[in-house]
Amino acid sequence: MGNMVLSILITLVLIVPGQVLADRAIPDSCLAYPAHISLNNSSMASGFFLNDGTNVYLVTAKHALFNIASGKLSATQATITAYSSNPHEEAKNILSLDLSILSEAKNIRRHPTADVATVCIAKVLQTDEYFNLKTLPGITYTEKASTGIFGTNIDTVKFFKNVLIANTIYMFGYPTSIGIKRSPQFDLLRPLLRSGIVAGINPKLKTIILDCPSYPGNSGGPVLEMERISLKRQQFRIIGVVSQFIPFAETWVNKTHGYTNTNFSNSGYCVAVSMDPVIELIKYSQQTADDHE
């Protein structure tokens, strides 16, 4: 009897810690959130899909799709790549977007003040974890994963007023500007994650300051906040859209010749636009569609 008890205790000590170490810090399906956006003007950005129960939208940064000075689309075509919600599946979703057709049908919306934009890509025919979709004119599937497109539900996003300073965040995206292009150190068509914390908020602009560096290519990617509900329970919500990094500016002055030179470097902080303006765009799109019915 004594030997049996000892055997069980040893088994528990060996197996339980192993199971804990094997747990991922975030749910497996969250790895499928980021989408890679490649435009025919040679620029790249990040984005993610949002389902409101009626439509599926591609959410990204406004400056990723629009020329900020002119307010016009900066490209006519886009290719969207997103992976399966099963991290062990190699298949991916690839969609070709004709931005001209989508814009003419008013399926592309940009916020008047915030750095966010949405593209309505499909109608939802069946609502569950994996959407059954009918793509809109201007959208062409060129490759499809068995689980289809995976995104977040509009009811599970977190609004600006509920964002908690000091909470852990995860930033998803495609920072294609980093690395050595002639000798790639990572796959540019696969997303990278970064972690940090909510460093602060800007109530006037409804933006979130993150202690987490971002780089060109990260723009438009989702920011996931981890909120601890109890000692054993955590909740993950998308709280924002990556917009820009915060630079550290250092100015050198040559008093003899009157020269000045300012160097900018990445401070390690970045700005994310909260989900509030994104929801405003989607509600406006819904209202406009209802008005035309």
Side-chain angles (χ1 to χ4, degrees):
M1 183 65 161
N3 290 337
M4 183 180 294
V5 172
L6 179 60
S7 176
I8 293 173
L9 288 176
I10 291 175
T11 302
L12 287 175
V13 170
L14 291 176
I15 291 178
V16 173
Q19 290 176 331
V20 173
L21 290 173
D23 288 343
R24 199 186 300 279
I26 61 175
D28 285 359
S29 58
C30 290
L31 297 177
Y33 277 150
H36 178 268
I37 303 173
S38 177
L39 302 169
N40 65 340
N41 63 359
S42 299
S43 65
M44 297 183 185
S46 302
F48 61 98
F49 297 105
L50 184 61
N51 164 33
D52 71 351
T54 303
N55 302 301
V56 172
Y57 299 86
L58 172 69
V59 179
T60 188
K62 179 169 65 177
H63 75 262
L65 299 180
F66 290 88
N67 181 299
I68 300 303
S70 67
K72 296 180 179 180
L73 284 168
S74 56
T76 58
Q77 301 285 331
T79 300
I80 313 300
T81 303
Y83 287 88
S84 165
S85 59
N86 178 357
H88 303 294
E89 184 181 355
E90 288 297 320
K92 52 186 177 290
N93 299 286
I94 301 179
L95 296 87
S96 296
L97 276 59
D98 188 318
L99 300 179
S100 300
I101 292 176
L102 291 164
S103 178
E104 188 175 347
K106 301 190 183 304
N107 286 318
I108 302 179
R109 303 282 183 183
R110 61 188 177 95
H111 197 275
T113 56
D115 186 21
V116 290
T118 60
V119 182
C120 186
I121 65 166
K123 297 288 184 182
V124 177
L125 301 180
Q126 176 183 343
T127 304
D128 53 21
E129 186 179 9
Y130 307 108
F131 317 146
N132 183 8
L133 309 177
K134 179 183 179 182
T135 54
L136 298 182
I139 308 288
T140 304
Y141 253 116
T142 58
E143 191 175 333
K144 188 174 183 179
S146 62
T147 54
I149 291 176
F150 186 82
T152 188
N153 191 296
I154 197 170
D155 295 330
T156 64
V157 303
K158 197 172 188 181
F159 287 96
F160 179 77
K161 65 180 181 180
N162 298 320
V163 172
L164 299 174
I165 295 174
N167 270 15
T168 296
I169 61 94
Y170 294 92
M171 178 194 297
F172 300 77
Y174 294 81
T176 51
S177 60
I178 65 174
I180 303 170
K181 301 300 182 289
R182 289 177 298 178
S183 180
Q185 295 146 306
F186 65 99
D187 187 343
L188 296 177
L189 291 179
R190 283 189 172 275
L192 293 180
L193 276 68
R194 294 204 76 129
S195 66
I197 64 168
V198 177
I201 56 174
N202 186 333
K204 183 178 180 181
L205 299 177
K206 286 190 175 178
T207 55
I208 305 160
I209 311 304
L210 307 174
D211 183 7
C212 186
S214 69
Y215 298 89
N218 277 124
S219 293
V223 179
L224 193 70
E225 180 191 330
M226 183 183 77
E227 181 179 345
R228 190 171 294 282
I229 305 301
S230 65
L231 286 175
K232 295 184 178 180
R233 216 171 135 228
Q234 299 165 337
Q235 180 172 270
F236 298 88
R237 297 286 183 89
I238 289 182
I239 61 171
V241 182
V242 178
S243 175
Q244 57 186 298
F245 75 90
I246 299 177
F248 167 67
E250 188 173 23
T251 301
W252 298 85
V253 179
N254 185 319
K255 294 183 179 180
T256 303
H257 300 286
Y259 299 148
T260 61
N261 181 54
T262 302
N263 295 321
F264 294 93
S265 57
N266 197 321
S267 69
Y269 290 96
C270 71
V271 178
V273 180
S274 68
M275 291 300 292
D276 299 51
V278 175
I279 303 305
E280 288 174 17
L281 282 178
I282 290 176
K283 287 184 176 178
Y284 179 78
S285 297
Q286 292 172 333
Q287 182 180 352
T288 303
D290 292 341
D291 292 342
H292 284 82
E293 288 182 355

